[in-house]
Amino acid sequence: MDEGGVGRRERRKRATRAALSEAALRLCAERGVPNVTAEQIAEEAGVALRTFFNYFSCKEEAVVAGDAVIAEAIVTAFRGRPAAEPVLVAWRAAVLEAVDEDELRFRAEHLQALRGDPALLPYRLKAFAAHERELAAAVSERAGVADDDLYPGLVASCALSALRVATQRWLSESGPLGVLIDAVVAQLDAGLGAPFDRSRD
C-alpha cells in the first residue's frame, strides 16, 4: 500500500471523527446531554452506529473530542517552531498557526451552553489533564529541563488557562483573537505579580 493510500485513509478517519464530534456537540447543546443518544449522533453524522463506537465509547467522549484535536494541533505546531524561540513566543505562534477561529468559536459557543452539565465534567477534566501533560512534555523538550521540574507543568497550565481566558473574552467582544492572544502572552511574560501595562506595547 503506498503512502498516498494511507494518507487518504487517515484523512477519512479524521473527517469521520470530526463529523461525529461536531454532531455530538451540536445535538447535546441543543437538546441537553441526557436527551441525546449515540444513535442520533451517528445518524446526524451520516454513519452507522457501529462506526460511532469505533471512535468513541460514549456520547460524552465524543462531545469533548474536538478539544483534543485543537490541543494536538497546537502542540504539534509548538514542537515545529524554531528551537531558538523562547517558550512563550513559540506558544503564541503555535496557537495562531494551529487554531481555526471558526472551529474554535463553534466549539466554545456550544460548550458554553453545556457548562453546567455534570455528565460532561469528568470527561472535560480528563481531556484538559491530557492536553496539559502533552504541552508540558513539549515545553520540557524546548526548555531543556527535566519532566519533573516545576517549570513545564506550570507553563502548560498557565498557557492553557490563558487561552481559555482569551477565548472567553473573544466571544464577548468584536475583534481578532490574535490581539487577545498577544495580551495574555504579554501578561504571562511579565509575570502575574501585577497587571501588565499594555500601553507600553
Side-chain angles (χ1 to χ4, degrees), residues 48-64:
L49 179 59
R50 66 179 179 275
T51 301
F52 175 90
F53 286 111
N54 285 339
Y55 289 89
F56 304 111
S57 63
C58 61
K59 60 189 175 184
E60 291 86 358
E61 188 179 287
V63 167
V64 304

Side-chain angles (χ1 to χ4, degrees), residues 129-181:
H131 306 164
E132 193 174 282
R133 286 193 302 271
E134 291 166 6
L135 182 55
V139 169
S140 175
E141 294 167 8
R142 175 170 292 271
V145 299
D147 291 343
D148 60 356
D149 191 277
L150 288 175
Y151 180 77
L154 183 60
V155 170
S157 180
C158 289
L160 291 177
S161 295
L163 178 57
R164 178 178 56 81
V165 169
T167 300
Q168 290 175 341
R169 179 68 66 87
W170 174 60
L171 291 176
S172 63
E173 297 180 353
S174 58
L177 177 63
V179 171
L180 291 167
I181 296 298

